[in-house]
Structure formats: structure tokens, C-alpha cells
Amino acid sequence: MIGVVGGGIAGLAAAYRLRQHGHEVQVFEATEDVGGLAAVYETAGDDIEKFYHHLSKSEETIVELAEELGLGDSLDWRIGKNAYYVDGVVHPLDTAWQIAAYPHMSVYDKFRLGMLTQGIDVRGGIPDFDAYDDLSEYEHVTIRDFVVEHTTQGVYDNFVDPLLDGKFGDRKGDISAAWFLGRVRFRGERDLLRGEILGYFDGGFRPLLDALVDAVGRENITTGARVTELETDGDAVGSMTVETETGRETHDVDAAVVAAMPNVLEDLTGYECDIEFQGAVCGLATMSESLMDTYWLNVAHDAPFGSLIEHTNFVPKERYGGQHLLYVASYVQGPHEDLWQMSDEEVEDVWFDEIASMFPQFDRSAVEEFRIARNPRAGPIYERGYLDMVVPYDLSDEVADGVYYAGMASAAQYPERSLNGGIVAGYECADRIVESTRADTQVASPSTDD
Ligand SMILES: Cc1cc2nc3c(=O)[nH]c(=O)nc-3n(C[C@H](O)[C@H](O)[C@H](O)COP(=O)(O)OP(=O)(O)OC[C@H]3O[C@@H](n4cnc5c(N)ncnc54)[C@H](O)[C@@H]3O)c2cc1C
């Protein structure tokens, strides 16, 4: 039996792929429900993710998985309108005309930024079309140095720097230009007449998780089961100890996939990963009125949140019983930050006071419900040299034969962590297990032709 630690998308994807190859699998999930960071709230209609989620056009594995699970037709590609809030004004930045009209960058700044987003280096006057293909060249360069050298100071000061403030706060100077370039590429497709194209399933991501659970087999998933030990037998993993409400159980395993954060891997195996994580505080307001016209609003000034995301400007409010849903989202770089220390009531007050000052027409009585989700490890801090810290899928050299890692510190979750990345990481581990079992079988039963 293959034991999987964690019933987030990565653990479920690993189990699904292993089951497809005929392996006996058991997924152990510490909480009462699967889904991990893609957990949901109920609304008056469809469920909605506690932390905002959508797909980018560059993500293919999740689309293939959805098709395999019979959900291909329920994936909609919609326009997710983007805007930037600067000095009291919301500037839409979807179409070529809106970008041309944006007043906080010169025409030349916009040209240089446009070339960079297309992957074209125009320094020296001769365009180089494949300039940024090799991201590893920029792994040890800061974003500021890179953007100023490859575009202009104006692009950095008036566009990139405020976005980095919102995403990485006081860690922004540590982040690598390779991450920045990868992220620009990752954002995927843009319709110059309408805006960015993003994916979302009918009913959100919950139906995908449910279909995955069905495909793995509910009997092969145990919730409320925290894996507390991985025991090795000689050089190989031999068993897994799990704590449930009723006590401790030990299961013999032929291999183990750890599909959880690297601190869990360290607790179970001693493997130390140096990647640091940022936390997230994310509120979801259920409102009787809409706040703004855009889906995603980045905020340029030093607000107590990084972005406002009005989900029902992306997916129609009719799917949620006619109510408007607004995320208020902020990353924190550590538990020392004020926002992390505040109670939910304090966070709510601070956030809605700021929203009221940004949008004078905002009426707080329109907020019918406000729910806050927090997670101390919401995403990696993609600092310089990050790729050297990534945890390998196969940990046979570092830990013991049969130990695999599919969590957020794996290579598939770079340059941005995503559900797609989780699925890829799960598959990468499963494929290695399938391959190694095949090799073992061949060694055990040599061909009669020999
Ligand atoms: C604010 C925010 C916004 C995001 N936006 C997007 C987006 O727009 N699009 C997108 O694709 N992705 C987005 N993501 C990322 C996406 O949610 C994650 O990449 C993905 O869910 C990670 O899945 P995972 O299975 O690797 O980890 P997790 O979801 O963290 O799952 C790990 C599971 O392991 C369990 N576990 C931990 N320890 C143990 C143990 N000892 N024993 C048993 N179980 C254990 C946990 O309870 C958890 O369920 C976002 C994430 C956040 C936080």
C-alpha cells in the first residue's frame, strides 16, 4: 500500500494517478475534510473558496484532469477585469486603450513594460525576442535591479514596486527577478480588447475535488487522521503512524508521498527545507450591493490589504443567490505583523474603515456577513536562490527509499503556487513510484528469454 500524507489537491492527485496504475492507496488527511488551501464556505448558492481562486490560461494539467473526470464542459474561461487604485482613482487596466490612458506612467514606460511582458529585450535598440527564456540567469538578481535595467525607473517606481509591496511587504527586496519573469509568463493570456482571461468551474473548485475523491475512492481516504510518524525499515520506508480520534494506528507502506507543507516533511523525516513562507489573511464579505466594477483591484498606497477582489464581477452573482461576494486579501510576512496579531473583529474594522475612505459611496450596512480565513503558510517567499531550496520529488537519497514529496516546496509550485502545480507535483511523485515498482518487478522476475 502507498500512504499519502495530506488530502489537498496534491495528495489527491498523487492517489488518483497511483490508483490508475492499479496501486493500493490510502490518503490520510489531518482535518475533517479534504481540499487543504482550496477549502470552501457555503453561500446562498454555490460554495466558494475561502481563499480566492481562479485558473490562468497557461495551466494545462488541471484542465486535462477536469476533462478526464468529466468536468471539461463546466470550466468557463471568463474575463477577469483588473484595475489599479492610485490616489483615489480606480484605473481600469484591461484593454490596450485603458493601458494607454493610464496616467501614472509615460508612453515610453508603457512601451518598455509592454516589450518586457512580451519577452522582448529592446536594450541597445535591437530587439532580442528570446531574451528571457532562461530564467535561471535571473535567479540571483533582485527585481528592482532587473526592472530598472531592462525597462525604466518609472516602470519600477510607478507600477512594479507598489505591486511588490502588496504581495511581499518588507520582503520585496529579497525576491528574485526569475520569479518576477516567471510570474509575468504565468499570468497567461490577455485579450487586448477585453482583458485577462481566467478560468473557473461551474460551482467553483469543490466539484473538481469531489470528482477526484470519487475517482480515488472514498474508502481510500481517511479524514481526521494526522500522520505523526514515518518509520524506516533499514534503508526504506516501512510504515506510517496515524493519529485519529480513536487512537493511534500503524500501517505498513511500500512508499509514502508527503503532500503537505515542508514543516510536516521535516517533522516526519527530519528533512530540512530552507524555504520561508508568508501567511495570508483573507476575508469574504457577502453584500447586498456591489462595491466596484472590477474583479481584481490592486491598491498602490499603503493600505492594510493588498487587493480587493469582487468575485461576483467575475462569476455572476446569480450563482450565489443574488448576493455580491468581495474578498479583502492581505499577505503577512510573519506572525510579528499587526494584521496577524489582530482579532477578526479588529481586522474587519480596520479593513472596512479603509474601504470606506477609498470608496465614499460604500455603505457598511450592505455587508451581511464577513468571514475571515487565515493561513500561516499561504505561499512561499520566492527569494533569490529559491530553486536551490526546492525539495526533490524523490527523497531516497536524502531520507530513505520510498519517500516522496509533492507539497508546496516542490518544483511544480514555481514560479507560482497553484492547484495546477499541486496536481503536477502529485503526478510527478506517482509516476516515479510507478516507474520504480516496474523496475523492481523486472528485477524480481527476469525474462525467460535470458
Ligand atoms: C490566498 C491564496 C490564494 C490562492 N489563489 C490561487 C489561485 O487563484 N489559483 C490556484 O490555482 N491556486 C491558488 N492558490 C494556491 C492553491 O490553493 C495551492 O497551491 C494548493 O491548494 C496547494 O495544495 P496542496 O495539496 O499542495 O497543499 P494543501 O492544500 O496545503 O494541502 C495539504 C493538506 O495536508 C494536510 N496535512 C498537513 N499535515 C498533515 C499530517 N501530518 N497528516 C495528514 N494530513 C496533513 C492539511 O490539513 C492539508 O489538507 C491560492 C492559495 C492561497 C492561500
Side-chain angles (χ1 to χ4, degrees):
M1 188 264 275
I2 317 288
V4 177
V5 183
I9 192 95
L12 293 175
Y16 168 68
R17 183 56 75 88
L18 287 163
R19 295 280 300 143
Q20 281 183 317
H21 286 275
H23 282 278
E24 208 185 306
V25 174
Q26 194 58 230
V27 177
F28 298 104
E29 165 53 46
T31 66
E32 292 308 317
D33 198 8
V34 297
L37 287 172
V40 291
Y41 295 125
E42 288 184 355
T43 77
D46 293 341
D47 288 348
I48 183 159
E49 293 69 40
K50 294 181 178 177
F51 298 102
Y52 54 85
H53 275 75
H54 55 233
L55 298 184
S56 296
K57 268 282 182 178
S58 57
E59 299 178 296
E60 290 168 0
T61 310
I62 192 167
V63 177
E64 287 161 15
L65 172 64
E67 279 163 6
E68 279 172 39
L69 296 175
L71 292 175
D73 291 343
S74 67
L75 175 58
D76 292 320
W77 292 99
R78 305 168 179 277
I79 296 294
K81 289 182 170 189
N82 277 279
Y84 215 168
Y85 183 96
V86 188
D87 295 341
V89 179
V90 174
H91 298 279
L93 288 176
D94 297 309
T95 66
W97 318 118
Q98 288 169 344
I99 294 166
Y102 180 64
H104 297 284
M105 280 197 295
S106 68
V107 173
Y108 184 64
D109 287 344
K110 287 175 204 166
F111 164 71
R112 294 297 297 266
L113 178 61
M115 288 295 106
L116 180 69
T117 58
Q118 296 305 308
I120 306 169
D121 183 0
V122 292
R123 287 174 306 156
I126 302 164
D128 176 353
F129 291 91
D130 307 313
Y132 306 116
D133 283 0
D134 182 7
L135 295 187
S136 61
E137 273 183 46
Y138 306 101
E139 190 57 33
H140 294 276
V141 181
T142 67
I143 299 180
R144 175 187 250 281
D145 288 351
F146 172 80
V147 172
V148 171
E149 191 186 327
H150 289 253
T151 64
T152 65
Q153 187 73 43
V155 169
Y156 184 79
D157 291 343
N158 301 317
F159 194 75
V160 176
D161 188 59
L163 290 178
L164 290 178
D165 267 333
K167 174 99 176 141
F168 292 110
D170 58 13
R171 298 299 304 269
K172 69 180 173 186
D174 298 333
I175 312 302
S176 78
W179 171 82
F180 175 74
L181 277 168
R183 192 73 179 83
V184 167
R185 220 184 263 172
F186 174 87
R187 286 303 284 196
E189 220 168 284
R190 174 171 280 282
D191 177 334
L192 280 178
L193 297 177
R194 296 188 306 147
E196 192 174 15
I197 303 167
L198 301 172
Y200 199 75
F201 289 95
D202 279 351
F205 289 91
R206 189 72 224 185
L208 181 74
L209 285 164
D210 287 345
L212 202 43
V213 166
D214 287 342
V216 170
R218 282 175 198 272
E219 67 285 6
N220 298 315
I221 301 170
T222 314
T223 54
R226 179 175 298 277
V227 179
T228 52
E229 275 168 62
L230 276 188
E231 295 87 9
T232 46
D233 180 5
D235 291 340
V237 64
S239 60
M240 202 176 249
T241 299
V242 179
E243 276 179 14
T244 65
E245 229 178 43
T246 51
R248 280 159 69 89
E249 304 160 1
T250 298
H251 299 266
D252 289 344
V253 292
D254 302 312
V257 179
V258 181
M261 292 295 164
N263 62 310
V264 177
L265 177 70
E266 185 174 346
D267 288 349
L268 294 176
T269 67
Y271 181 94
E272 284 177 35
C273 166
D274 291 332
I275 293 172
E276 290 181 63
F277 281 77
Q278 54 174 196
V281 184
C282 187
L284 181 74
T286 305
M287 309 198 300
S288 55
E289 283 168 28
S290 168
L291 178 73
M292 56 188 185
D293 294 330
T294 196
Y295 167 52
W296 192 290
L297 183 73
N298 283 308
V299 181
H301 64 272
D302 189 18
F305 43 76
S307 42
L308 296 173
I309 301 154
E310 192 161 333
H311 180 80
T312 38
N313 288 336
F314 174 49
V315 177
K317 66 179 191 311
E318 286 67 31
R319 294 209 67 114
Y320 306 97
Q323 286 171 312
H324 301 264
L325 298 176
L326 173 80
Y327 288 108
V328 187
S330 186
Y331 288 103
V332 292
Q333 310 311 317
H336 60 278
E337 284 199 22
D338 290 348
L339 200 69
W340 193 259
Q341 302 278 337
M342 288 179 198
S343 67
D344 284 0
E345 293 70 29
E346 287 168 327
V347 171
E348 185 173 341
D349 281 343
V350 168
W351 279 354
F352 283 121
D353 286 352
E354 180 70 19
I355 291 174
S357 77
M358 287 169 62
F359 295 90
Q361 83 287 3
F362 169 68
D363 173 5
R364 195 159 162 183
S365 67
V367 179
E368 292 170 2
E369 190 177 11
F370 193 61
R371 291 173 278 189
I372 293 185
R374 300 172 188 243
N375 193 295
R377 290 185 187 80
I381 297 177
Y382 292 105
E383 60 187 306
R384 283 174 289 156
Y386 183 88
L387 287 177
D388 296 336
M389 298 188 275
V390 152
V391 180
Y393 298 117
D394 181 347
L395 287 166
S396 52
D397 287 342
E398 294 79 359
V399 179
D401 276 351
V403 179
Y404 295 83
Y405 181 71
M408 209 185 260
S410 63
Q413 295 289 25
Y414 181 86
E416 183 63 351
R417 47 90 169 108
S418 64
L419 295 165
N420 188 73
I423 297 165
V424 173
Y427 285 180
E428 290 282 350
C429 290
D431 289 347
R432 282 167 172 77
I433 293 170
V434 170
E435 196 51 45
S436 86
T437 344
R438 217 177 265 150
D440 287 352
T441 319
Q442 276 164 6
V443 171
S445 53
S447 153
T448 46
D449 297 341
D450 288 345

